[in-house]
Amino acid sequence: WSSGPELGAGLGGKGASSRLNKIVELSTEELEPFPSAKAVETELKNSLLKVNSSDDWAEQYECLNTLRRICVHHTRPLLTADKGEKLHAVARQLALAADNLRSSVARNAIACARELFVAAGREADREADALTSILIKRAAGVDLFVAEDAGRALQAMISTCSEARAFGALLGAAGQHKAAGARAKCAQFVHRAVVTYEGRALQPLVLERLLPALAGFLGEGAAETRQAAKSAVSCLALAAKGEGAEAERNFQRALGRGLSEADAKRIRTVVDAALAGQSGRGADFRNPTGAAGGVTGGGGAAVLLGGADSSTRGLSRSAALRQSGIGGVGGGGTPAPGQLAGGSLTASSVNPLNPELDETFNVLATQLAASDWRLRNEAITNLVQLVEGKPGAVRRSKHAVGTFDLLSVRIADANTKVSVCALTAVCRLISLLSEGASDSAVCKVLVPALATQLASATAPVRAGAESALLELNRVAEASTVWPLVASSATFGSVRVKAAVLDIFARIVALPNSAKPPQLKHVLPLSLRLLDEKVEVKAANGRLLTALHATLGSAVLDEAMRLNAGNYTKLRAQFPEVVLLAPPPDDQHFARAALAALGATGRRHWRPDSADRSEIVELASNELF
């Protein structure tokens, strides 16, 4: 945490300290040791008592500064003595302070947690669980500065704690948090841990818990979570290959233990793709481009965990922008550790050199993270005006992608006015920045955010999300958008399912709607949701009717694959004028179809007949 400007100078509001009239952010290097062991004991006792009990936030901040000085200079032997009881007391108070509503206090507590992990090393193993849970929560929050600090603290935990403890803490946090954003962060840091530990992540006891968790992440609705899980599985597979034949055999044996058949198949699919993508190139597990593109995360904060010989070949435009350090939220253009030095992406391909535009976007990114909703609302309006005023310059820059990264965060803003404003902005800018909006990596972030808002209790939010999805469908390839929308419905709430089905019904009814994606993505979704509740069932009926109107007999061909129960449910979804062909291998369906024909069916029906082929032929002749 770099040193920054003085905070709180001249504070005179409620709770301001008369003793402390200003607060100064201190970097780790600026923290000084105490002169004696007795002074350390006294300051530690006082700080632990007041850090969360004081009503004065400035005093809380100073107590955290004291704890930071102790963690950096006096962890050994003071905090680690007596079986680490004092270290445990400090960690417990830091976990509480990191959740403080005042961001400056929370950031100081998070900085202290990072320094504690670095100073204590393996001695901090027992504190990983309590601190990781709150760090994941703050890393997934809307305050970008707090999120960045929490990310650094989590990386420190991964780098210093043992493999089993670090993975256990991350997976334990995933079990505690149900929010999609928090679970995505858990998956992303699991991937970072796999890359950090390399072959040490292949220990049997680690894999025994890690693989089932990754299989669960692969089945999540959020694209960011699935992408991070794919990257982690790919890295494990390639690390096993790099470690030699014995490690590969152990990894394959681990896939056969403790996993259901469906989970094992899901993981093996990713493993096979990773190994196939690396054939002929050597097993560089840090950059599994064959399976996951080598990029984790989303929202513009992706970090490539690869080496200097990595390549942008095969990456989408936005992924290449982020990989080269010139794209994403913040627009700072500074490559993260492990990113390409120099980058394969040339200036001529994306033309990022526009300092004035970069500076403007940096200011807007800061305003979009402000605590005051009015400032966030104003920043969105200014962002739209900037893009509409200079569409050509934005299209040629990294911000064609970064614009939607910024807005996707504000779509889920806790303030309804900001959320509606962000949705309106997305609708207006999709057509102007169609290349950036239609990029697959952008869609993976934008579509889940929009789909989540379909379940909002506020009508303007729902309407804005629906309009944005329809506009995105207009400019992007169906093969890019539709699978993401269908996945959001599969794993979403009842409201999301019903809304997505109605949106697909509208899209399918459009004259220029492509039929192959309907067969590949929309019809299977509809058949998967046959067992849903009344609200979803009604929407599914409308979609099936629209599909039958455009696909005709293709819907009937797909129905042939259903079992008896689902076939009956499918038949019940259609209006009376739509008649389905009976599957040729089931007499029950032939009877149901003939019964639907009324008098004509009854004339040809012979109850004592056991000849299925004759029954099916009669039914087919009457129906078609």
Side-chain angles (χ1 to χ4, degrees):
W1 190 13
S2 61
S3 60
E6 294 182 350
L7 299 178
L11 287 174
K14 183 178 179 180
S17 173
S18 58
R19 183 171 53 88
L20 300 168
N21 59 5
K22 62 181 181 180
I23 295 299
V24 181
E25 293 184 3
L26 298 174
S27 67
T28 302
E29 293 74 17
E30 293 172 320
L31 297 171
E32 297 180 353
F34 288 97
S36 65
K38 184 177 181 180
V40 175
E41 290 276 6
T42 302
E43 291 294 336
L44 175 62
K45 182 177 180 180
N46 291 338
S47 296
L48 290 177
L49 287 174
K50 297 178 181 178
V51 66
N52 287 301
S53 61
S54 176
D55 293 332
D56 184 351
W57 73 268
E59 186 175 24
Q60 290 179 318
Y61 193 95
E62 282 304 308
C63 288
L64 288 167
N65 274 344
T66 299
L67 293 178
R68 291 180 65 196
R69 292 171 64 186
I70 294 172
C71 286
V72 170
H73 297 288
H74 306 284
T75 293
R76 290 186 173 90
L78 176 64
L79 296 185
T80 56
D82 299 326
K83 298 182 180 180
E85 290 301 323
K86 292 177 182 176
L87 185 68
H88 183 62
V90 171
R92 188 167 59 246
Q93 295 302 320
L94 290 180
L96 295 173
D99 203 23
N100 196 293
L101 295 178
R102 187 172 287 275
S103 61
S104 57
V105 174
R107 291 185 69 193
N108 215 18
I110 291 170
C112 188
R114 172 176 55 80
E115 291 157 349
L116 182 147
F117 282 123
V118 172
R122 294 293 176 92
E123 299 284 347
D125 269 14
R126 62 179 292 200
E127 317 308 335
D129 289 338
L131 288 173
T132 299
S133 180
I134 185 60
L135 291 175
I136 286 290
K137 176 183 176 181
R138 299 316 300 252
V142 297
D143 190 319
L144 295 181
F145 300 107
V146 175
E148 289 174 3
D149 291 337
R152 283 191 282 270
L154 286 167
Q155 186 61 54
M157 184 275 294
I158 291 170
S159 300
T160 58
C161 291
S162 64
E163 299 82 21
R165 180 64 71 174
F167 280 120
L170 290 169
L171 299 180
Q176 295 173 22
H177 294 293
K178 302 304 179 185
R183 294 183 63 80
K185 286 296 178 185
C186 289
Q188 289 166 15
F189 279 98
V190 165
H191 175 215
R192 293 194 188 186
V194 170
V195 173
T196 299
Y197 296 136
E198 303 182 0
R200 291 177 291 160
L202 299 172
Q203 299 174 42
L205 291 178
V206 173
L207 290 177
E208 184 178 342
R209 185 173 182 186
L210 182 58
L211 290 176
L214 289 174
F217 286 144
L218 288 172
E220 298 253 340
E224 286 181 279
T225 308
R226 296 196 307 273
Q227 182 69 15
K230 286 180 182 178
S231 297
V233 173
S234 300
C235 288
L236 286 172
L238 297 175
K241 183 178 180 180
E243 290 288 319
E246 183 63 26
E248 280 193 276
R249 284 193 294 271
N250 290 337
F251 180 67
Q252 293 297 330
R253 280 197 292 269
L255 291 178
R257 295 196 300 263
L259 291 173
S260 66
E261 184 177 347
D263 287 345
K265 181 179 179 181
R266 192 178 294 155
I267 289 183
R268 288 186 186 279
T269 299
V270 178
V271 170
D272 293 343
L275 296 177
Q278 286 293 325
S279 60
R281 294 205 303 267
D284 181 5
F285 71 92
R286 296 169 299 173
N287 186 24
T289 54
V295 177
T296 62
V303 176
L304 178 69
L305 297 170
D309 60 342
S310 305
S311 169
T312 56
R313 180 177 56 193
L315 294 180
S316 64
R317 179 174 183 271
S318 63
L321 284 169
R322 295 185 181 119
Q323 177 172 321
S324 61
I326 54 176
V329 171
T334 303
Q339 285 186 323
L340 290 177
S344 310
L345 201 65
T346 62
S348 60
S349 61
V350 293
N351 190 23
L353 303 177
N354 193 334
E356 182 181 353
L357 192 64
D358 291 348
E359 184 178 353
T360 305
F361 266 90
N362 283 339
V363 172
L364 290 174
T366 303
Q367 291 178 349
L368 283 167
S371 58
D372 189 338
W373 70 268
R374 298 175 186 84
L375 292 178
R376 300 199 299 273
N377 225 29
E378 182 182 354
I380 294 173
T381 304
N382 293 338
L383 177 62
V384 174
Q385 291 174 352
L386 173 63
V387 175
E388 291 181 339
K390 300 179 180 179
V394 175
R395 287 192 200 103
R396 293 189 299 271
S397 74
K398 61 189 178 183
H399 304 296
V401 170
T403 296
F404 294 102
D405 286 336
L406 291 169
L407 290 174
S408 63
V409 177
R410 297 276 68 88
I411 285 173
D413 197 281
N415 187 285
T416 302
K417 294 180 180 178
V418 177
S419 179
V420 172
C421 187
L423 289 167
T424 305
V426 169
C427 291
R428 290 175 62 174
L429 297 183
I430 282 176
S431 58
L432 278 175
L433 304 176
S434 57
E435 183 182 354
S438 60
D439 187 272
S440 60
V442 172
C443 289
K444 287 178 181 178
V445 176
L446 195 56
V447 170
L450 293 172
T452 301
Q453 296 305 97
L454 293 173
S456 173
T458 307
V461 174
R462 294 196 304 271
E466 182 176 338
S467 299
L469 282 172
L470 291 172
E471 183 67 13
L472 187 61
N473 174 74
R474 187 182 65 81
V475 302
E477 294 288 338
S479 58
T480 300
V481 178
W482 289 15
L484 298 171
V485 179
S487 177
S488 298
T490 301
F491 299 100
S493 64
V494 172
R495 286 185 176 182
V496 171
K497 286 181 171 67
V500 167
L501 291 173
D502 278 331
I503 288 173
F504 270 136
R506 292 175 60 181
I507 293 174
V508 165
L510 296 174
N512 59 346
S513 182
K515 291 186 178 181
Q518 293 181 27
L519 278 171
K520 186 175 181 180
H521 305 296
V522 182
L523 183 56
L525 170 67
S526 181
L527 297 179
R528 283 198 300 271
L529 300 181
L530 286 174
D531 291 326
E532 292 294 330
K533 297 180 180 179
V534 177
E535 184 179 354
V536 179
K537 188 175 182 180
N540 208 0
R542 294 189 288 271
L543 175 57
L544 284 168
T545 303
L547 286 170
H548 185 268
T550 56
L551 298 177
S553 60
V555 177
L556 310 178
D557 294 339
E558 190 70 23
M560 296 287 190
R561 305 174 187 176
L562 298 176
N563 58 35
N566 284 337
Y567 181 89
T568 304
K569 294 172 186 174
L570 178 62
R571 178 65 184 85
Q573 292 282 344
F574 279 87
E576 290 301 319
V577 296
V578 179
L579 299 174
L580 296 181
D585 60 344
D586 198 318
Q587 184 177 0
H588 169 76
F589 296 146
R591 293 184 180 181
L594 287 171
L597 292 171
T600 306
R602 285 193 291 274
R603 280 202 306 272
H604 292 285
W605 176 249
R606 291 174 292 172
D608 56 346
S609 174
D611 187 350
R612 289 193 178 190
S613 60
E614 184 180 356
I615 295 170
V616 170
E617 182 180 359
L618 288 171
S620 299
N621 289 339
E622 292 293 341
L623 287 169
F624 307 103

